[in-house]
Amino acid sequence: YQNTPINTSNFPVNPYTRVTVAKKESAFWKILKKNLNEFVLIRLESWMNQGIPDVLGVSPQGLYFTAELKVTVSNRVSFSPHQIAYHVERENACAFILVLRPSKKYPRKSSMYVYAPEQIQQLMDKGLLVPALLAFDPVDWPLVQESLSKVITDRSLLACHF
């Protein structure tokens, strides 16, 4: 856009559009990697297979899971059709949606929500008004590690088959 003949300096700027969704999710990834130190986490960068979640993880108990990372400053959570299809096809699997909602006023007091794959359609329709499997407001990382590990174990006992 900087090389366009149109002068864009007079257009109003929304402070939230300067940072793209990909950059917000990349920052969320770095926060997760730093704070979930009992987990083995691998960032999946897949441009060829759309819909593949952002993270492949291994819990402290050695159980595999995937996580789609989302960041929102409102209650709205957006997904691509490929992400929806991935989670619908794996509604009984160890696949999770992790949503970070940074506080506008106090960035260090963010909230984080963990959703199951079968909740993806509800998330599309109602956003963060949907009750989460886990909710942390504000985020307490030791509690996140403990709670997420337990949820992964519980779901693994029910249906995780990779």
Side-chain angles (χ1 to χ4, degrees), residues 22-133:
K23 287 184 182 177
K24 289 179 185 179
E25 289 175 2
S26 180
F28 185 18
W29 156 249
K30 290 175 185 174
I31 292 167
L32 280 177
K33 183 77 170 159
K34 176 184 173 190
N35 290 290
L36 294 182
N37 51 22
E38 293 179 10
F39 289 77
V40 175
L41 301 174
I42 300 166
R43 179 80 190 259
L44 300 176
E45 299 285 348
S46 180
W47 296 102
M48 292 191 56
N49 294 320
Q50 296 176 343
I52 298 296
D54 300 306
V55 177
L56 174 64
V58 182
S59 74
Q61 294 76 22
L63 302 170
Y64 282 82
F65 65 96
T66 61
E68 181 64 44
L69 305 182
K70 294 293 178 183
V71 178
T72 184
V73 294
S74 66
N75 282 335
R76 186 169 180 258
V77 184
S78 299
F79 299 91
S80 74
H82 299 286
Q83 291 169 332
I84 294 168
Y86 179 91
H87 286 87
V88 167
E89 290 173 7
R90 290 158 183 84
E91 69 178 23
N92 294 317
C94 281
F96 300 95
I97 302 158
L98 279 60
V99 182
L100 182 72
R101 183 169 58 184
S103 169
K104 292 177 189 176
K105 199 171 186 180
Y106 304 104
R108 294 189 182 267
K109 302 247 185 220
S110 298
S111 303
M112 190 175 89
Y113 306 90
V114 178
Y115 292 93
E118 63 269 17
Q119 294 178 287
I120 195 162
Q121 192 58 55
Q122 291 176 309
L123 272 171
M124 287 287 300
D125 297 340
K126 298 178 183 172
L128 296 182
L129 299 176
V130 175
L133 289 175

Side-chain angles (χ1 to χ4, degrees), residues 127-154:
L128 296 182
L129 299 176
V130 175
L133 289 175
L134 301 170
F136 306 95
D137 187 15
V139 178
D140 173 350
W141 289 107
L143 183 58
V144 170
Q145 284 197 130
E146 179 184 327
S147 302
L148 188 57
S149 183
K150 182 175 178 354
V151 166
I152 291 166
T153 299
D154 291 348

